[in-house]
Amino acid sequence: MSEQGKGSASASAAAPAPGSDTYKGWLFKWTNYLKGYQRRWFVLSNGLLSYYRTQAEMAHTCRGTINLATAHIDTEDACNIVLSSGGRTYHLKASTEVERQRWVTALELAKAKAIHDSGDEEPTSQSDRSEIQGTLKILVSKLDDLSTCNDLIAKHGAALQRSLSELEGLKVPVEGGEKIKAVNERATLFRITSNAMINACRDFLDLAETHSRRWQRALQYEREQRTHLEETIEQLAKQHNSLERAWREAPTLVSSTPSAPTTNKGSERPRKEEASDEDEDTEYFDAMEDSPAFITVTASENTQHRSMSPSCNDVSGKELQPRRQRRTHIPDKPNYSLNLWSIMKNCIGKELSKIPMPVNFNEPLSMLQRLSEDLEYHELLDKAARCESSLEQMCLVAAFSVSSYSTTVHRTAKPFNPLLGETYELDRLEEFGYRSLCEQVSHHPPAAAHHVISQRGWTLWQEITIASKFRGKYLSIMPLGAIHLHFHASGNHYVWRKVTSTVHNIIVGKLWIDQSGDIEIVNHRTKETCQLKFSPYSYFSRDVPRKVTGVVADSGGQAHYILSGTWDEKMESAKIVQSSRGGSGSEGKQKTVYQTLSPKLLWKKYPLPENAENMYYFSALALTLNEPEEGVGLTDSRLRPDQRLMEDGRWDEANSEKQRLEEKQRAVRRRREAEASDALDEDTTLKSTTILGYQPLWFHQRRDSVTGETNFVYKGGYWESKDRQDWSMCPDIF
């Protein structure tokens, strides 16, 4: 059986303790050109490498085994491992060079041990040889004694059996006495022989025990030496990886220095682009009709530099400037118990915004601040603004749309519902070149308007209305509204919508969140599209949890890039070089097989801060969102008292303050309705919508010229008011 192919995907292996005889972990194994690489659980033990579909299969089903004693171990590239034994070939891939080296080290050591165990190794010194030969002679002598005793036991046992048989047939008492005497004599001989055998066995065991202790000490020494060797090899692999990375980056650093001639820099770029299609190993992926499923590979750095245009990888000089120090922690979350069912049982079928919830189920951030968290990975848009290719730009925009969900994987708490007229500003102009403003423009239904302007070439705006339903076992959150992104230089205008978020195990069990649905990103200038699919979690699915796949296509519908990854970890893109029709799918539809270059890493999630589990699982950006700042508007979420009390751990006071604020908001609404009613009584020609309609302070409704939709957009004035510190127009909502 030969299983061969190029390209791959991988997952990190679970490294055992140094010196362990077993090595286990996830790798991706090549299957065929239709299915590509599939995730498998590999176990290396006793010189045998076995693999299973899941860890649970180890108890009953092994999918294949290869004997390392006769196997040939080879490495094709940075992360590939090829094992060949007879007619069987395994093509495997590890996630990094260091991880690959760990597997190769474990395989080589296991192979050497298997070869050693299968053959006889000559002693290395004359003294060792003499000692072993003397021990063997003694053991052989004792073995001969045991054999002799065994023969005697057999002989006397047979004679005893005959005597007993004769004794049974006797009729004369005199003859019986003689026979009984003979039986006793033979029994005595049998007992003496048995004692001699037992003594010989005892001597043998004592000798074996003595030498066993010596062999154990020798084995322990060999294990310590093996552990030391493994650690040394691992350090060498890391050093090799660092040196290789430095060597790859060296030409780029030299060409980007001010002293480098611009003509050389410009002439080198086309050569790199031309060579990329020939140098990169091609890969093959399946493309479903409705839900593309692809296996991804972490691309090496030289691949990343060549697979995207050079302008997408430029680094802005402003990022090198010193940044303002912001807080890195908040008070730990108190451990308060509360009966959730007593509150939720009367709320089934209602909108979440209409349920009076205590702060125990909240996190100390408002929905406006959560909306601002979409900018956690703003550098993706900075990079996209520098892209010359609109298709490459689309890949980065798609990665940005997925990255906004990465902070939600552990965030099952509910943000505060903003008060009508509440605002939130995120001013990162000096640090990252952008300014963000959110305002709650409607209360029923709850709607927020968001506007971001960046000095690095892009503007983002959105109006999000949250529709949520409690279904008893789970909570569905459906964001309604479009997100607009405009790049200043190219004029590209992207529009997309968010997917549905679902919080499971509301009543019983551990809370967990899932994202599911489809996102269509449209570039309205070029008519290029990106179709993203968020696969819902399924207990019976073999796919990676939280999987996201997608295809970037031009205005004619031809696919150019494959996107794959997970919404809580990373996204990758692979350029399509050829497509063809493959076999039929499960529903009889013909699949499209895409041949691609090696994937490129678009986005990877930042690790959570230390002690994040006690700080509501906030990211580094989320920890700074509620940090007090001077000069913000009087309606800013940072000034909301119940939210501040909750962050400080004073939850009882926060609940009282929350009830006061909500009652104050209801009183303002009743007063507005009463004024409208009085006005209608005086002049029946007035329309109630003219009087009742709340007018936001910083946003107004306008019809979008691109999509034709009417939504709230920023009308200006906020940042000018901040510069003047004139907040006299702000309502008193707190």
Side-chain angles (χ1 to χ4, degrees):
M1 177 181 66
S2 179
E3 301 169 288
Q4 310 203 10
K6 298 289 183 183
S8 62
S10 67
S12 60
S20 173
D21 293 333
T22 303
Y23 199 90
K24 303 177 182 179
W26 289 105
L27 290 173
F28 278 91
K29 174 183 172 292
W30 177 262
T31 55
N32 53 55
Y33 282 99
L34 288 179
K35 294 185 177 180
Y37 277 78
Q38 298 293 320
R39 191 168 181 254
R40 296 291 183 261
W41 178 255
F42 280 82
V43 177
L44 174 59
S45 179
N46 298 325
L48 299 175
L49 181 66
S50 306
Y51 72 93
Y52 312 83
R53 285 187 176 177
T54 62
Q55 297 183 46
E57 277 194 350
M58 293 177 60
H60 53 83
T61 305
C62 178
R63 299 291 173 174
T65 301
I66 191 168
N67 190 347
L68 295 178
T70 59
H72 175 69
I73 304 173
D74 193 14
T75 54
E76 288 185 344
D77 56 22
C79 297
N80 258 344
I81 304 173
V82 181
L83 298 178
S84 303
S85 179
R88 178 176 300 179
T89 301
Y90 288 168
H91 288 262
L92 313 174
K93 190 107 175 181
S95 58
T96 63
E97 295 182 23
V98 174
E99 191 61 46
R100 190 278 308 268
Q101 189 59 45
R102 289 176 180 168
W103 270 104
V104 172
T105 300
L107 291 170
E108 292 287 2
L109 290 173
K111 178 181 178 180
K113 186 176 184 298
I115 295 175
H116 177 273
D117 293 343
S118 62
D120 295 328
E121 192 172 67
E122 290 294 327
T124 57
S125 64
Q126 185 64 33
S127 59
D128 292 341
R129 187 182 296 108
S130 300
E131 183 179 357
I132 292 175
Q133 288 177 350
T135 302
L136 289 175
K137 287 181 180 179
I138 296 174
L139 291 176
V140 169
S141 175
K142 293 296 181 182
L143 186 61
D144 291 338
D145 292 343
L146 290 174
S147 298
T148 302
C149 291
N150 182 62
D151 294 337
L152 290 173
I153 288 172
K155 179 179 177 182
H156 292 301
L160 183 61
Q161 184 64 43
R162 287 195 301 272
S163 298
L164 291 174
S165 299
E166 294 173 356
L167 185 61
E168 291 177 355
L170 290 177
K171 297 180 179 179
V172 181
V174 177
E175 294 179 358
E178 294 177 355
K179 292 295 182 180
I180 290 174
K181 182 179 179 181
V183 169
N184 288 334
E185 291 176 355
R186 290 188 175 99
T188 302
L189 291 174
F190 187 88
R191 185 171 62 255
I192 294 172
T193 305
S194 299
N195 289 335
M197 184 191 70
I198 292 172
N199 291 332
C201 289
R202 186 179 292 110
D203 293 341
F204 176 82
L205 290 176
D206 291 341
L207 181 63
E209 206 173 293
T210 302
H211 284 276
S212 175
R213 285 192 292 269
R214 295 185 57 191
W215 290 334
Q216 287 177 358
R217 289 195 297 270
L219 180 60
Q220 181 63 28
Y221 174 77
E222 293 297 332
R223 285 177 174 171
E224 292 174 355
Q225 292 297 314
R226 171 182 168 180
T227 301
H228 178 70
L229 180 61
E230 287 179 345
E231 293 174 350
T232 303
I233 291 175
E234 184 174 340
Q235 291 296 326
L236 289 174
K238 291 180 179 179
Q239 294 175 9
H240 174 77
N241 188 37
S242 300
L243 289 173
E244 195 171 57
R245 183 180 291 110
W247 177 80
R248 288 171 178 166
E249 294 176 351
T252 304
L253 295 175
V254 172
S255 64
S256 61
T257 55
S259 60
T262 56
T263 55
N264 293 344
K265 184 177 180 181
S267 60
E268 287 178 3
R269 288 181 177 178
R271 286 194 219 109
K272 289 184 179 180
E273 292 298 322
E274 292 170 4
S276 63
D277 290 344
E278 298 176 359
D279 294 343
E280 295 296 335
D281 293 334
T282 56
E283 302 181 4
Y284 300 86
F285 299 106
D286 292 345
M288 307 279 185
E289 291 293 334
D290 298 324
S291 56
F294 312 101
I295 305 299
T296 61
V297 187
T298 303
S300 59
E301 294 195 9
N302 59 337
T303 303
Q304 294 182 24
H305 284 291
R306 289 183 290 182
S307 60
M308 283 287 187
S309 61
S311 60
C312 291
N313 295 313
D314 294 340
V315 178
S316 173
K318 292 187 178 181
E319 295 179 359
L320 304 177
Q321 296 178 358
R323 298 174 181 174
R324 169 185 169 182
Q325 293 296 322
R326 300 188 181 273
R327 69 180 184 180
T328 57
H329 66 276
I330 59 175
D332 286 359
K333 177 182 178 181
N335 186 18
Y336 287 136
S337 61
L338 190 66
N339 187 354
L340 177 61
W341 179 243
S342 64
I343 297 173
M344 303 297 288
K345 64 183 180 180
N346 297 322
C347 304
I348 298 177
K350 296 182 180 179
E351 288 191 13
L352 188 63
S353 60
K354 296 182 179 180
I355 299 175
M357 300 283 285
V359 301
N360 302 58
F361 302 114
N362 286 32
E363 61 180 16
L365 290 178
S366 74
M367 181 59 73
L368 301 181
Q369 291 166 314
R370 284 291 293 268
L371 202 57
S372 301
E373 274 193 76
D374 287 357
L375 301 173
E376 175 108 27
Y377 299 93
H378 61 89
E379 64 272 10
L380 291 172
L381 300 185
D382 296 342
K383 186 184 293 185
R386 300 190 296 269
C387 279
E388 297 173 0
S389 167
S390 59
L391 291 171
E392 294 176 1
Q393 189 179 75
M394 175 70 84
C395 293
L396 291 168
V397 172
F400 174 78
S401 69
V402 174
S403 70
S404 62
Y405 298 97
S406 64
T407 61
T408 66
V409 62
H410 300 296
R411 302 271 291 280
T412 54
K414 171 184 174 293
F416 279 78
N417 289 329
L419 302 173
L420 186 62
E422 185 176 334
T423 61
Y424 180 75
E425 69 161 71
L426 186 63
D427 191 347
R428 295 291 191 266
L429 191 64
E430 295 181 357
E431 298 161 276
F432 304 116
Y434 71 83
R435 276 178 161 176
S436 167
L437 176 66
C438 295
E439 182 178 5
Q440 187 76 358
V441 296
S442 173
H443 190 61
H444 289 300
H450 185 203
H451 182 269
V452 190
I453 179 69
S454 173
Q455 292 181 340
R456 300 180 184 176
W458 53 270
T459 300
L460 182 145
W461 67 96
Q462 57 181 319
E463 179 193 336
I464 298 296
T465 300
I466 301 297
S468 53
K469 289 289 184 180
F470 176 54
R471 306 294 186 182
K473 292 183 179 180
Y474 62 90
L475 176 70
S476 296
I477 303 171
M478 294 81 69
L480 308 176
I483 303 172
H484 296 255
L485 175 63
H486 177 259
F487 289 100
H488 305 162
S490 62
N492 290 333
H493 187 149
Y494 297 88
V495 179
W496 70 93
R497 301 174 188 274
K498 290 180 175 288
V499 296
T500 299
S501 301
T502 306
V503 183
H504 295 269
N505 294 343
I506 292 292
I507 304 302
V508 180
K510 183 179 179 180
L511 291 175
W512 61 279
I513 195 167
D514 194 22
Q515 315 288 348
S516 59
D518 298 329
I519 292 180
E520 182 184 36
I521 306 175
V522 180
N523 183 345
H524 285 271
R525 188 184 72 85
T526 63
K527 305 305 178 184
E528 296 163 348
T529 61
C530 174
Q531 303 288 341
L532 289 174
K533 180 178 181 59
F534 288 65
S535 300
Y537 173 79
S538 174
Y539 180 80
F540 303 99
S541 175
R542 298 177 183 174
D543 288 337
V544 179
R546 309 180 187 99
K547 183 178 180 181
V548 180
T549 54
V551 177
V552 175
D554 58 22
S555 58
Q558 181 179 355
H560 288 266
Y561 285 93
I562 296 299
L563 304 180
S564 61
T566 58
W567 53 263
D568 68 323
E569 183 181 358
K570 65 179 180 180
M571 286 296 294
E572 297 172 332
S573 67
K575 186 175 183 180
I576 299 173
V577 295
Q578 187 178 352
S579 62
S580 59
R581 288 293 182 181
S584 299
S586 58
E587 299 180 359
K589 296 182 179 180
Q590 196 174 28
K591 297 181 181 179
T592 301
V593 179
Y594 292 128
Q595 180 183 353
T596 70
L597 300 179
S598 295
K600 170 193 178 294
L601 183 65
L602 294 173
W603 158 76
K604 188 173 184 179
K605 180 186 177 182
Y606 299 141
L608 289 175
E610 186 178 358
N611 195 38
E613 64 276 7
N614 295 321
M615 298 187 295
Y616 308 90
Y617 287 98
F618 280 179
S619 64
L621 174 63
L623 288 173
T624 68
L625 292 179
N626 207 42
E627 184 177 8
E629 288 193 18
E630 296 181 357
V632 298
L634 300 180
T635 54
D636 195 273
S637 298
R638 298 177 181 89
L639 305 178
R640 182 166 174 165
D642 54 347
Q643 188 172 299
R644 181 65 60 190
L645 288 169
M646 181 191 178
E647 181 181 282
D648 294 338
R650 299 154 61 184
W651 284 16
D652 292 336
E653 298 174 59
N655 277 319
S656 301
E657 192 64 22
K658 183 173 183 288
Q659 292 178 8
R660 182 190 68 82
L661 290 175
E662 291 173 349
E663 181 56 38
K664 181 178 180 179
Q665 180 173 240
R666 284 191 285 267
V668 171
R669 180 178 179 84
R670 287 194 296 266
R671 185 171 62 252
R672 187 184 301 117
E673 292 175 349
E675 292 174 354
S677 178
D678 293 342
L680 285 174
D681 292 340
E682 294 176 3
D683 189 351
T684 57
T685 61
L686 293 177
K687 295 182 179 179
S688 61
T689 54
T690 306
I691 301 175
L692 284 175
Y694 171 78
Q695 297 301 317
L697 196 57
W698 310 110
F699 290 80
H700 57 182
Q701 281 190 318
R702 289 292 183 270
R703 184 180 181 85
D704 189 272
S705 59
V706 175
T707 63
E709 298 177 348
T710 300
N711 48 29
F712 281 94
V713 296
Y714 180 57
K715 65 181 180 181
Y718 180 88
W719 303 110
E720 292 77 8
S721 296
K722 182 180 180 181
D723 293 338
R724 298 191 307 268
Q725 281 301 293
D726 178 16
W727 303 114
S728 57
M729 72 293 293
C730 292
D732 178 18
I733 61 173
F734 298 143

